[in-house]
Amino acid sequence: MPGRGGARTARVTVVLFALLLLGSGGLALSVAGTSQPPAAASPAMLPLDAGTQGVSTSSVGTTDILGSDRDAGVPVDDSDPPVVTDLESVHAKGVTGEGVRVGVVGTAFDRNADAIDGAVVAAHDVTANRPAFEQAANARHDTAVAEVVHSTAPDAGLVLVELGPNPSLREYRSAMQWLVSQDVDVVVDSGSYFPRSATTAEGFANATDRTVKEGVVVVTSAGNLGNRHWSGTAREPGWVTFGGDGAEANPLGGGQVAGDVSLRLHADRSADARLYLYRRHASQSDTVVAKADASDGVAAIDATVPEGTYYVAVRVAGDVERTNLTLYAPSHDLDYAVATGSVPETTGTGAMTVGAAAADGSIRTDSSREGVTLVAPGRATTSVGELEGTSAAAPYVAGSVALLQASAGVDAAEGRRILLATADREGDVARIDLEAALEQARTLNASAESRANATASNASSSSNASSTNQLAVP
């Protein structure tokens, strides 16, 4: 049985422990800092083959991919103000995104919401026969995302594409292809995806990169996984330790958990690994409630659990020399978390990946990082409530790209370059400075017009001189 670990942080009122175990038989974990020594494990205490204990397997587990994480679990941080750029003064100068089409990828949208009324120029649902009640239940988050784009670039046309809550790779590819067919200039996706295989993850990333190659700026949220991600290396068979204190169990959040629990363990494709979710009991042995072997580089658990305290452990077996491991818990904080490298592996390399900034300009602790292109304000006030984290930051950047393209006629590559060149930098954090970007775009545009006029004037002078010379010949 895995040993029990104490919590390091408690940002939300849920707890999850992620354990990866391999093999069967009596195994024991230890956790530093606990006053209770690990109990001796036995087959009865580790019912590895007994099935689940008091849980139901989520239907999500049978699909190609876990539903996109729409940031519903991100706590509101009142110290972070809404988007602070003086957009009114920008818009007053006629910079409104007119003529630019922005594609918004989401689970579902309220296409008739007052906040985006008149801005939607096209919409498409890639799923078939989706119940109306399901669509309405999932519309709040992505309607808010579309509203942030519209607030930033009010005259840009919104092109909405709905994926449903559990999109397959085929559906995601179809969505991106449809957006390209609609001549969008920018695409924003504020969802994070957690496939059940490395091949599927690569497919999502490739679909994004193919869209970029079509000349479209693709903006994606980095994800709010700064406290929901762990990575490390196993160098020998057995339980994997999560921290320098030797902890072999990784609690999430320090409280009670009830409802949906999802875990993804990424391992080297050749690794012999298994992922387990445990429930802790005060008066009896802890029980395994879900388990998964790594297949095609990913071990995946999706379960619905009754209220209780849960944890996970990681174990590798076989000829282990150096096995790289990455653990994601999309809806629960991990007590032992590593923020570095927490951008989901479905993110394409060609996308602008956006992290969330705190009020002081630093990257928020819950924001994913490493591989982040820009950070932007991580909170926006919308008609459906406060939009938090990278879900708020990404549509702000997408709207900013639309303003650049409309005001200066820059192409995708030039717009991206300007945003990066004018960003406020502190260490490895580059925070968007929209007004500086617009000023540089206007300067470049004026210089280009001046050069064009000069070239036209020179050409005209040369032509006149040639005509004069021709007339002078006897």
Side-chain angles (χ1 to χ4, degrees), residues 4-332:
R4 300 162 181 169
R8 285 184 175 178
T9 60
R11 290 179 54 86
V12 294
T13 60
V14 292
V15 175
L16 173 65
F17 291 8
L19 298 170
L20 171 62
L21 307 175
L22 248 177
S24 60
L27 302 172
L29 288 178
S30 64
V31 178
T34 179
S35 59
Q36 182 178 355
S42 68
M45 298 178 71
L46 270 181
L48 302 186
D49 301 313
T52 58
Q53 306 288 321
V55 304
S56 61
T57 301
S58 170
S59 60
V60 172
T62 63
T63 65
D64 190 29
I65 189 169
L66 174 66
S68 56
D69 174 19
R70 297 291 169 185
D71 302 336
V74 178
V76 173
D77 182 353
D78 290 331
S79 67
D80 281 343
V83 171
V84 294
T85 296
D86 185 7
L87 289 172
E88 288 186 4
S89 66
V90 170
H91 298 159
K93 297 173 183 176
V95 181
T96 59
E98 184 176 3
V100 177
R101 294 164 70 92
V102 181
V104 187
V105 180
T107 299
F109 299 93
D110 180 357
R111 304 179 190 181
N112 299 315
D114 290 342
I116 56 175
D117 184 41
V120 179
V121 296
H124 178 58
D125 187 344
V126 300
T127 64
N129 302 319
R130 187 148 53 96
F133 72 86
E134 180 184 88
Q135 183 175 0
N138 290 286
R140 280 174 56 89
H141 176 276
D142 297 304
T143 302
V145 170
E147 184 178 339
V148 173
V149 175
H150 181 54
S151 298
T152 307
D155 287 335
L158 299 180
V159 182
L160 311 180
V161 62
E162 298 173 337
L163 298 172
N166 303 306
S168 66
L169 175 56
R170 180 190 60 79
E171 289 169 332
Y172 192 78
R173 285 172 174 161
S174 176
M176 300 302 274
Q177 290 166 358
W178 181 80
L179 288 171
V180 171
S181 76
Q182 295 298 305
D183 295 324
V184 296
D185 304 285
V186 187
V187 168
V188 60
D189 185 353
S190 281
S192 297
Y193 306 92
F194 301 93
R196 303 177 67 84
S197 76
T199 298
T200 304
E202 291 167 0
F204 270 74
N206 290 337
T208 298
D209 289 339
R210 280 196 295 271
T211 305
V212 172
K213 290 179 180 178
E214 294 289 341
V216 178
V217 178
V218 178
V219 180
T220 64
S221 60
N224 302 306
L225 299 164
N227 300 319
R228 300 174 179 186
H229 163 271
W230 173 89
S231 61
T233 302
R235 301 181 184 277
E236 60 184 7
W239 296 105
V240 174
T241 57
F242 289 100
D245 55 6
E248 294 171 335
N250 195 342
L252 268 105
Q256 297 289 296
V257 170
D260 294 338
V261 172
S262 292
L263 299 168
R264 295 291 184 270
L265 181 78
H266 290 245
D268 296 336
R269 277 190 166 96
S270 61
D272 187 2
R274 180 176 285 179
L275 176 66
Y276 283 84
L277 174 65
Y278 273 84
R279 184 177 184 181
R280 179 176 177 178
H281 301 283
S283 58
Q284 67 182 68
S285 300
D286 296 350
T287 52
V288 175
V289 298
K291 57 186 177 180
D293 292 318
S295 175
D296 191 18
V298 179
I301 288 177
D302 297 299
T304 302
V305 300
E307 184 174 3
T309 301
Y310 296 86
Y311 61 92
V312 187
V314 176
R315 187 177 181 87
V316 295
D319 185 14
V320 179
E321 200 170 299
R322 181 183 175 88
T323 299
N324 297 312
L325 302 167
T326 302
L327 176 66
Y328 294 98
S331 57
H332 298 85

